[in-house]
């Protein structure tokens, strides 16, 4: 299976990088403390999709911010497939009512953890399989 290695050393706090994996855009975001805090402060009961959709976790893991992020100590990193779960458009970053992503096709909005919050999309944006090879190198797939 094709995997890609990405150097994330240039992705400083508040910055994002988009790479391709299996023909799909992968959003790699180094979230600010405010973005992480906003997502943590969101009750699971407020979520439209309560499942983490994280290929690295159990399929029924809940969509906490920690479960959406790269995990303990790396919660600033959000790495996800940048495809709207409605009909597959590519959402725009740092946009929308919840400060995350906005899909221009039919108006779905995602929060700072990439979780669907309003609009027609049914599910959170998916988290691909990935691993940190070092603090500055990740392998996707
Ligand atoms: Fe994103 Fe329809 S494809 S809202």
């Amino acid at each position: 299976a094709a995997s890609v290695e990405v150097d994330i050393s240039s992705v400083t706090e508040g910055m994002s990088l988009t790479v391709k994996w299996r023909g799909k855009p992968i959003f790699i975001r180094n979230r600010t403390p405010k973005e992480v805090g906003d997502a943590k402060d969101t009750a699971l009961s407020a979520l439209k999709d309560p499942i983490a959709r994280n290929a690295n976790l159990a399929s029924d893991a809940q969509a906490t911010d920690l479960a959406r992020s790269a995990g303990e100590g790396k919660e600033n990193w959000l790495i996800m497939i940048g495809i709207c779960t409605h009909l597959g458009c590519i959402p725009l970053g740092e946009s929308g009512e919840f400060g995350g992503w906005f899909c221009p096709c039919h108006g779905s909005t995602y929060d700072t953890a990439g979780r669907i919050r309003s609009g027609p999309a049914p599910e959170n944006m998916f988290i691909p399989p990935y691993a940190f090879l070092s603090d500055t190198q990740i392998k996707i797939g």
Side-chain angles (χ1 to χ4, degrees), residues 71-89:
E72 206 73 60
K74 293 195 185 305
E75 291 172 68
N76 54 313
W77 292 106
L78 179 65
I79 298 163
M80 64 185 181
I81 299 175
I83 295 179
C84 181
T85 62
H86 181 222
L87 293 174
C89 289

Side-chain angles (χ1 to χ4, degrees), residues 29 34-35 38 92-102 109-113 117:
R29 181 158 181 82
K34 180 180 188 316
E35 289 173 310
D38 286 350
L92 306 170
E94 294 173 80
S95 302
E97 175 184 358
F98 295 92
W101 286 262
F102 173 75
T109 60
Y110 296 85
D111 68 14
T112 57
R117 300 300 297 278

